[in-house]
Amino acid sequence: MSFLCVRTVSRFRSLSRALAPGFLLLHGNAAPKTAVFFRQQSSNTRLFSSYTAPSGVEENNSKSALKNKLPPGKEVSSKDAKEKITTSAIDLALNSVVKVFTVSSKPRLFQPWQITMQSESTGSGFVISGKKILTNAHVVANQTSVKVRKHGSTTKYKAKVQAVGHECDLAILEIDNDKFWEGMNPLELGDIPSMQDTVYVVGYPKGGDTISVSKGVVSRVGPIKYSHSGTELLAIQIDAAINNGNSGGPVIMGNKVAGVAFESLCYSDSIGYIIPTPVIRHFLNAIEESGQDVSFGSINLTYQKMENDQLRKDFKMSDKMTGILINKINPLSDVHKVLKKDDVILAIDGVPIGNDSSVHFRKKERITFKHLVSMKKPCETALLKVLREGKEYEFNSSLKSVPPLVPKRQYDKSASYYIFGGLVFLPLTKPYIDSSCVSESALGKMPKKAGEQVVIISQILEDDINTGYSIFEDFQVKKVNGVQVHNLKHLYKFVEECCTETVRMDLEKDKVITLDYKSAKKVTSKILKSLKIPSAVSEDLQPKQQNKRSIVPPKSKEH
């Protein structure tokens, strides 16, 4: 058994202490800081940690150490000129890069009516055009307070989170204080660097309170699953040390930004990851166009590679054809309207897909076709070239992402729950699966209806009325009084409006729970009082209270 460990790198200071047995250990405010759990390695399994970064960190808190000193009259080579350009860019970065101080708190996983103790963390950010600061979403996730300090200053300025894109792990901060912006220079976004290009990571990692600059080279470019969201997007791998606190800082190449530092690989020699400029521009454009709605395209289907000769023959592919075979399509997606199971996708927007699911990227580089898909906006369509029963077809379809049946991550929102007769109902999420004995099988399922959730009995608050039911913790609720459960809100509404004496709940594995309705309602009130739980239902499930005002019709005018 082998393990892959990836960590986000905002720095934490104080940790929440209230952790339940088997709980996914999350420290600090950010995307998972420390998670301790072990599972069989798979294509979508990651272990997050924020333990000490690998040795070999190249730090320098002095700008002068980076300057290329030449004796008077000596001819400057092209290499020296490049170093001077880099030095100028870093000087510019010093008037742009800031340290971000965050206080955060989030709902507890197993007691969602409570929130964790506040924790403090730090990260980095930098100024972009429009008097905005760009940083990582995991730096400010679940924040209750965000402050920013610029280089060479002792003042912390209050910041407001203007927009967040958790999918791409990016966020925009605003500061309404003219004094802060004095002397600050926005950085300009550049292009994707080539392999072996030199880059500089600028930020505020652990080991000191002043700004730090680390040098490295680009070693790989390709999509990875971002640990903050679980979304597969383009990333750049570099060999510069990216440590706790570097998150959100710029990575400089030449005189422009090549990306945003955000992750590093644990237990490895200086392997860090940065968010490239195409992903950053997609995020910024989405914010400009729609405010808060940041979305990346998704193919919304499962597929397999076509590397087997017999498989290609059986699906009537010619020797010149390459592509991927569709196994299953999300019924809520737009592609479900035009594509079918056993179709072979040959190309997207005229770009051929290889039998290994890769597409041409740059020069002799190839990356997964999912990169082309992810860069699509919700309003855009893609031209899909398909082989169906030996005939070629072309379809235009939107690649708008469909919410998964089981959410991968949830940030900046209150938890949903419902308590009835001591039974605590929750919608299933991946963090819950990672922290409990619930099977991962639900992760591979697709929703059949919009808004569908997997509702489980998280725990049973003991009372005589639920004696013998504790063995059903973590079981999925399939039906209530014979009606299929659509989501938690549906279950809550159906139970509350129950007209029968007994409430019957059909669970997975053909198990059954029955409760006397009136007795269960009384017991619920008693449990809430004894355990000091403020409400039996989360605020998001409760019907919105409308202010009813008596409207007096206007009097008719007399002429």
Side-chain angles (χ1 to χ4, degrees), residues 220-291:
R220 183 180 295 162
V221 179
I224 67 169
K225 283 193 176 181
Y226 286 24
S227 62
H228 180 66
S229 63
T231 303
E232 188 172 349
L233 295 172
L234 191 66
I236 299 172
Q237 181 181 316
I238 62 175
D239 70 353
I242 298 179
N243 292 320
N244 302 328
N246 269 124
S247 282
V251 178
I252 306 294
M253 183 182 72
N255 60 353
K256 294 182 180 180
V257 174
V260 176
F262 78 121
E263 286 184 359
S264 65
L265 192 64
C266 295
Y267 314 120
S268 62
D269 252 343
S270 299
I271 296 180
Y273 296 94
I274 66 176
I275 302 172
T277 51
V279 177
I280 299 172
R281 288 192 176 97
H282 186 101
F283 166 73
L284 295 176
N285 290 338
I287 295 300
E288 186 177 346
E289 293 171 5
S290 59

Side-chain angles (χ1 to χ4, degrees), residues 317-331:
M317 294 178 67
S318 68
D319 293 339
K320 294 182 179 180
M321 287 181 179
T322 59
I324 56 174
L325 178 66
I326 297 176
N327 298 137
K328 189 176 182 180
I329 306 173
N330 192 315

Side-chain angles (χ1 to χ4, degrees), residues 343-537:
D343 281 351
V344 178
I345 304 179
L346 304 175
I348 293 183
D349 288 335
V351 180
I353 301 176
N355 290 324
D356 62 351
S357 76
S358 69
V359 294
H360 175 74
F361 181 48
R362 304 180 302 185
K363 298 179 181 178
K364 294 184 178 181
E365 295 178 70
R366 295 185 72 85
I367 59 175
T368 173
F369 79 100
K370 292 180 182 178
H371 170 61
L372 300 180
V373 174
S374 66
M375 289 295 101
K376 286 290 184 180
K377 298 178 182 179
C379 59
E380 294 178 331
T381 60
L383 179 63
L384 304 174
K385 186 177 181 181
V386 171
L387 181 67
R388 179 180 296 168
E389 297 177 351
K391 296 182 180 180
E392 293 185 29
Y393 298 89
E394 288 187 342
F395 302 103
N396 276 297
S397 177
S398 164
L399 300 179
K400 187 177 181 180
S401 178
V402 176
L405 178 64
V406 179
K408 297 176 183 178
R409 306 281 188 271
Q410 287 185 317
Y411 304 101
D412 304 324
K413 60 189 301 185
S414 300
S416 297
Y417 71 90
Y418 173 51
I419 302 173
F420 178 74
L423 280 62
V424 181
F425 302 96
L426 301 178
L428 185 63
T429 62
K430 188 177 185 301
Y432 190 96
I433 292 175
D434 293 337
S435 312
S436 65
C437 298
V438 177
S439 170
E440 288 187 325
S441 60
L443 294 175
K445 296 180 180 179
M446 296 179 179
K448 297 177 181 178
K449 297 180 181 179
E452 185 178 354
Q453 294 175 326
V454 176
V455 180
I456 61 169
I457 300 173
S458 170
Q459 61 178 303
I460 297 178
L461 307 175
E462 195 275 333
D463 187 86
D464 290 343
I465 197 173
N466 53 47
T467 299
Y469 291 162
S470 59
I471 60 173
F472 299 133
E473 288 185 354
D474 292 337
F475 273 55
Q476 180 184 354
V477 183
K478 297 279 193 175
K479 296 180 180 179
V480 175
N481 286 350
V483 177
Q484 197 80 28
V485 174
H486 179 53
N487 53 35
L488 183 59
K489 190 169 186 176
H490 176 233
L491 180 145
Y492 158 69
K493 185 177 180 181
F494 196 84
V495 172
E496 289 295 307
E497 297 176 355
C498 178
C499 299
T500 59
E501 292 183 5
T502 303
V503 177
R504 172 182 170 135
M505 298 184 185
D506 290 271
L507 314 180
E508 61 179 300
K509 300 181 181 179
D510 299 320
K511 303 302 180 183
V512 178
I513 284 178
T514 61
L515 295 171
D516 180 82
Y517 181 76
K518 291 183 179 179
S519 299
K521 291 291 286 183
K522 291 179 181 178
V523 166
T524 301
S525 300
K526 184 180 74 173
I527 291 175
L528 295 180
K529 185 176 181 181
S530 63
L531 297 180
K532 296 179 173 57
I533 300 174
S535 175
V537 60

Side-chain angles (χ1 to χ4, degrees), residues 80-135:
D80 294 331
K82 188 174 181 180
E83 284 294 321
K84 282 193 171 183
I85 293 174
T86 303
T87 302
S88 174
I90 292 175
D91 286 338
L92 179 65
L94 295 179
N95 293 323
S96 172
V97 182
V98 299
K99 189 169 186 177
V100 182
F101 301 82
T102 305
V103 178
S104 63
S105 185
K106 60 185 178 182
R108 295 186 186 278
L109 199 58
F110 297 110
Q111 293 84 32
W113 50 87
Q114 297 179 347
I115 60 172
T116 60
M117 293 176 61
Q118 287 189 334
S119 61
E120 297 179 358
S121 62
T122 65
S124 305
F126 62 97
V127 176
I128 58 175
S129 61
K131 287 190 174 183
K132 293 180 174 62
I133 294 173
L134 187 64
T135 187

